[in-house]
Amino acid sequence: MARFGVKEVADVIFYNLITGKADLFLDTLKLSNLENAAETVYANGGKGNPRLISWDFNRTSTFNVQDALLNPKAIAMQSGTEVEKKIETIYERVVTVTVDDGTTNSKITLDETPDAGSVQIFESADGYGHDKEVATASITVSGKDITVPAASLAVGAQVIVYFTYQTVDESEVITLHSDKFGGFYRVVGKTLWRSEATGKDEKVQIVIPKAKIGSSFTLTMQPDGDPSVFDMALDVFKDPKSTEMVKLVRY
C-alpha cells in the first residue's frame, strides 16, 4: 500500500452550480484544510455497562482556505454579491493654506472637482481641530478652485476642506447587503502528495460537488505586524444526485 506525505497547499477553483462555469481561481493560499467529523452513539448494557453497538451519523466536512492576498471576487462571493464597475462618490479631506487669488480673495485649489454643495471649510491652526467654520454662503466653487472673501477667510490661513467628488472612471465596488449571503459552488482543489517510496510528488484532486461559502470575513488593517490574511470557510453538502460529499483523486 502506497503511503504519502501531505504538505503542499492546494490551488482551488470555484465553479458556478447553475452555469457550470469557473467563477474564481485561488493560487496564493496559505492553507487549504479539509476537516471531517461525525457523531457516534452507543448501546451500552450488561455488567460494567460496556459498549455493545454503535451508530455513526451527522457526517460533516468543512474546507477552510486562507489567502495571502485579497481577491475582490472572493470577497464579493462571500457577500453574495458581484464586483460592480460604476461611478462612485468619494469622500475627501484636505489640509491646505489659502493663497491670494489676485483680487484679495482667499483661494484654494483642489485636486478634484467637488460635488455641488459638498464643500465644508474650517480654519485650523494645527490641521486637526475645527477652530472656526467658514460660512457656506461665502464659499464660491468654480471647477477645482474655491474662493472666499478675505473678510470671511484670511489669505495665508491654514484650513481643512471636506468635500465629495465623483470618480472620473468607473470604480470597482463591492456592496454588502443585509439580505445577501455567500452561495453554493462546486469546489475543486489541486495539490501534490509526496510518495514515501519514490520521493516524487503525485497529483491529487479534491472534488467537493456542493459547498456553501461562509459569509463571515475580516479585513484587518493595522500599521504593524504581519500583512492581513483572508479566510474563507466552506461547509460541505451532500451531492444532490448521490451520497458523495468529497472525492479524493490521485492521478
Side-chain angles (χ1 to χ4, degrees):
M1 174 65 70
R3 299 189 297 184
F4 301 87
V6 179
K7 178 181 180 294
E8 192 63 72
V9 72
D11 295 337
V12 179
I13 309 168
F14 293 78
Y15 291 91
N16 188 300
L17 285 182
I18 297 174
T19 65
K21 295 181 178 180
D23 273 356
L24 178 67
F25 174 64
L26 300 177
D27 64 348
T28 53
L29 298 181
K30 294 177 69 67
L31 61 84
S32 52
N33 294 344
L34 179 63
E35 301 175 6
N36 297 278
E39 295 183 42
T40 305
V41 293
Y42 304 91
N44 295 45
K47 290 183 176 60
N49 197 36
R51 291 176 175 176
L52 306 175
I53 307 174
S54 67
W55 290 265
D56 294 324
F57 63 101
N58 280 358
R59 161 75 69 187
T60 60
S61 293
T62 57
F63 191 48
N64 297 311
V65 300
Q66 184 182 83
D67 204 337
L69 302 177
L70 185 150
N71 188 309
K73 177 64 176 179
I75 297 296
M77 288 168 59
Q78 288 179 278
S79 305
T81 185
E82 296 290 340
V83 179
E84 300 177 276
K85 297 287 188 178
K86 62 181 183 178
I87 302 299
E88 191 64 27
T89 299
I90 304 299
Y91 293 80
E92 195 60 270
R93 175 186 183 274
V94 174
V95 178
T96 188
V97 175
T98 63
V99 298
D100 191 334
D101 73 343
T103 63
T104 72
N105 289 327
S106 292
K107 179 181 176 182
I108 301 166
T109 300
L110 303 176
D111 291 334
E112 307 291 342
T113 301
D115 295 331
S118 71
V119 174
Q120 303 173 47
I121 303 175
F122 296 87
E123 294 185 44
S124 178
D126 59 5
Y128 292 96
H130 296 174
D131 301 335
K132 179 183 177 182
E133 182 175 4
V134 177
T136 302
S138 66
I139 299 173
T140 300
V141 180
S142 177
K144 298 179 181 180
D145 293 331
I146 301 172
T147 55
V148 180
S152 299
L153 179 62
V155 173
Q158 180 168 263
V159 295
I160 303 174
V161 184
Y162 296 91
F163 64 99
T164 63
Y165 67 93
Q166 302 300 304
T167 54
V168 177
D169 299 317
E170 290 186 337
S171 300
E172 192 172 85
V173 181
I174 302 171
T175 304
L176 277 65
H177 298 272
S178 62
D179 59 347
K180 293 185 178 181
F181 304 92
F184 289 87
Y185 294 84
R186 175 184 293 270
V187 179
V188 177
K190 313 282 283 185
T191 187
L192 300 170
W193 290 357
R194 182 160 296 178
S195 169
E196 177 192 31
T198 66
K200 294 182 179 180
D201 291 333
E202 298 190 18
K203 295 179 181 180
V204 174
Q205 177 174 272
I206 303 167
V207 181
I208 302 172
K210 184 179 180 182
K212 185 183 185 303
I213 294 181
S215 299
S216 300
F217 63 88
T218 301
L219 299 179
T220 302
M221 293 166 280
Q222 59 189 39
D224 57 357
D226 294 330
S228 294
V229 292
F230 305 94
D231 295 300
M232 181 183 292
L234 305 170
D235 289 324
V236 177
F237 285 68
K238 182 185 77 67
D239 186 342
K241 299 178 182 179
S242 70
T243 61
E244 290 182 5
M245 295 178 67
V246 180
K247 185 185 293 184
L248 302 176
V249 182
R250 179 169 59 89
Y251 61 101

